[in-house]
Amino acid sequence: QVQLVESGGGLVQAGGSLRLSCAASGRTFSSYAMGWFRQAPGKEREFVTSITTDGSTYYSDSVKGRFTISRDNAKNTMYLQMNSLKPDDTAVYYCAAGTVGTAVSAKYDYWGQGTQVTVSS
């Protein structure tokens, strides 16, 4: 079992930055691929970015160049640095852990409870 807890969400103006954290406990964090997903009101949950066990990263086109995913295996923590935020980035952000770094949410085995990010115009 892996328990995931997100933090760092909040309210920010357009053009601003936030850094989300995802703290993991339980089984070995470094053996899991990790991902960030988000869900805006009335919309499907969508892939944001993922990072594999060897540090390879993948981004959705909507965040490429603005968001950066990273992980610190010594701290059992994953991060999402979000820059140049837009109102369209407003959503609940979820971290997830699985055996494969993928954009497919069903491939992830463990999920956090989510953290709200609101970007005002």
Side-chain angles (χ1 to χ4, degrees):
Q1 281 280 7
V2 175
Q3 293 80 42
L4 303 173
V5 179
E6 303 96 335
S7 62
L11 173 64
V12 64
Q13 289 188 330
S17 298
L18 279 176
R19 188 175 83 154
L20 305 184
S21 299
C22 173
S25 61
R27 300 183 67 181
T28 307
F29 173 76
S30 61
S31 67
Y32 286 94
M34 302 294 296
W36 287 100
F37 290 77
R38 67 186 181 186
Q39 188 167 19
K43 295 188 177 181
E44 301 266 325
R45 186 172 297 188
E46 66 171 355
F47 170 75
V48 177
T49 178
S50 64
I51 186 166
T52 64
T53 54
D54 65 0
S56 298
T57 58
Y58 305 91
Y59 296 91
S60 69
D61 288 343
S62 62
V63 307
K64 198 173 296 182
R66 300 188 298 122
F67 290 11
T68 303
I69 189 173
S70 61
R71 64 190 300 163
D72 185 337
N73 290 335
K75 295 183 178 180
N76 283 4
T77 303
M78 173 179 66
Y79 303 98
L80 181 63
Q81 178 66 44
M82 305 186 294
N83 298 328
S84 302
L85 282 161
K86 306 174 182 179
D88 283 350
D89 296 317
T90 295
V92 177
Y93 283 70
Y94 299 89
C95 67
T99 56
V100 180
T102 172
V104 179
S105 61
K107 296 290 187 180
Y108 290 86
D109 301 309
Y110 305 101
W111 292 83
Q113 82 290 349
T115 186
Q116 176 70 47
V117 171
T118 303
V119 184
S120 63
S121 57

